[in-house]
Amino acid sequence: RLYHVQKGAILIDDVNIDQYKLDALRSKIGVVLQDVFLFSGSIHDNVTLRNDAISRDAVIHAAKLIGMHDFIMQLPGGYDYNVMERGSTLSLGQRQLLSFIRALLYNPSILILDEATSSVDTESEHLIQHAIETLIEGRTSIIIAHRLSTIRKADKIIVLDKGEIKEAGTHTELLEQEGLYTKLHEMQFAKHVGR
């Protein structure tokens, strides 16, 4: 509900989203964006958003699930390490993983990942794939991605081109259609083979 629906309706548990109180709706939705917002402060403060109700133990547990605990413990001060403005002392992949810890701590029922892996280096990609699998388990997830490795295990993949739905199905079903998804898959696979 950042925008009003122009046509059709969005339903959650068969209820139109307009029927939910806005704060209740938003408290159940987590968003992980391509551009991670980090502020000058500790890792603990950045992942909890300075919410005192979230304990250090909960932060450590979430970091272990995402696969970041060992990395954080190597930093001077561990969870009290100051990430500086916009996280400039961390790599893109590390910043993204911190945003995953943040999302996991708030335990949303619905998770939206908007190009969350697009600017991540290949080295971080494996760690991030594991983190995404941890993050989406047991919740409704909407994953917007150009990188097909991020979405290949989805229950339903919708292929959009210039705002129009072109294909829909599982990874296997879409490959069998030999359409736009197959072309994208072949282009990305060829890039990986060429490395």
Side-chain angles (χ1 to χ4, degrees):
R1 282 178 53 190
L2 295 172
Y3 300 97
H4 289 292
V5 176
Q6 301 296 312
K7 273 202 289 192
I10 299 173
L11 307 179
I12 298 175
D13 294 332
D14 294 325
V15 176
N16 192 306
I17 60 165
D18 290 335
Q19 303 300 309
Y20 290 99
K21 287 185 177 171
L22 194 56
D23 57 343
L25 178 68
R26 289 185 179 166
S27 72
K28 296 295 180 193
I29 298 175
V31 181
V32 178
L33 302 172
Q34 175 181 356
D35 202 14
V36 180
F37 172 74
L38 295 176
F39 51 86
S40 183
S42 70
I43 284 179
H44 179 89
D45 286 348
N46 268 279
V47 296
T48 63
L49 298 173
R50 296 197 173 126
N51 180 344
D52 295 332
I54 300 173
S55 70
R56 178 62 63 105
D57 286 345
V59 171
I60 291 169
H61 179 68
K64 284 180 178 175
L65 285 174
I66 296 296
M68 275 291 277
H69 175 72
D70 292 342
F71 166 74
I72 293 169
M73 292 310 293
Q74 290 171 5
L75 297 170
Y79 287 87
D80 296 315
Y81 175 74
N82 188 339
V83 299
M84 307 302 281
E85 193 71 32
R86 299 201 48 80
S88 58
T89 54
L90 301 171
S91 75
L92 287 171
Q94 291 159 350
R95 280 180 255 170
Q96 197 60 272
L97 288 162
L98 288 182
S99 74
F100 289 170
I101 296 170
R102 183 188 287 165
L104 196 58
L105 282 170
Y106 280 86
N107 196 25
S109 303
I110 298 170
L111 179 68
I112 300 169
L113 299 179
D114 189 358
E115 291 289 1
T117 61
S118 65
S119 54
V120 170
D121 51 279
T122 323
E123 198 177 312
S124 305
E125 189 179 1
H126 178 70
L127 196 54
I128 283 185
Q129 280 306 128
H130 164 74
I132 288 173
E133 286 171 25
T134 302
L135 204 50
I136 65 176
E137 193 174 325
R139 69 188 90 235
T140 299
S141 302
I142 299 168
I143 304 170
I144 302 154
H146 283 89
R147 194 176 280 193
L148 301 185
S149 58
T150 310
I151 57 168
R152 66 180 300 150
K153 291 182 182 174
D155 297 324
K156 186 172 190 176
I157 299 168
I158 298 171
V159 183
L160 294 169
D161 185 34
K162 298 183 179 97
E164 284 185 28
I165 295 175
K166 296 295 184 185
E167 298 168 349
T170 64
H171 173 74
T172 307
E173 289 167 352
L174 290 172
L175 286 178
E176 286 170 0
Q177 289 179 28
E178 296 186 4
L180 187 56
Y181 184 85
T182 304
K183 284 180 189 160
L184 291 168
H185 186 268
E186 284 169 357
M187 282 181 354
Q188 288 189 20
F189 183 71
K191 280 182 193 173
H192 289 295
V193 171
R195 279 184 184 159

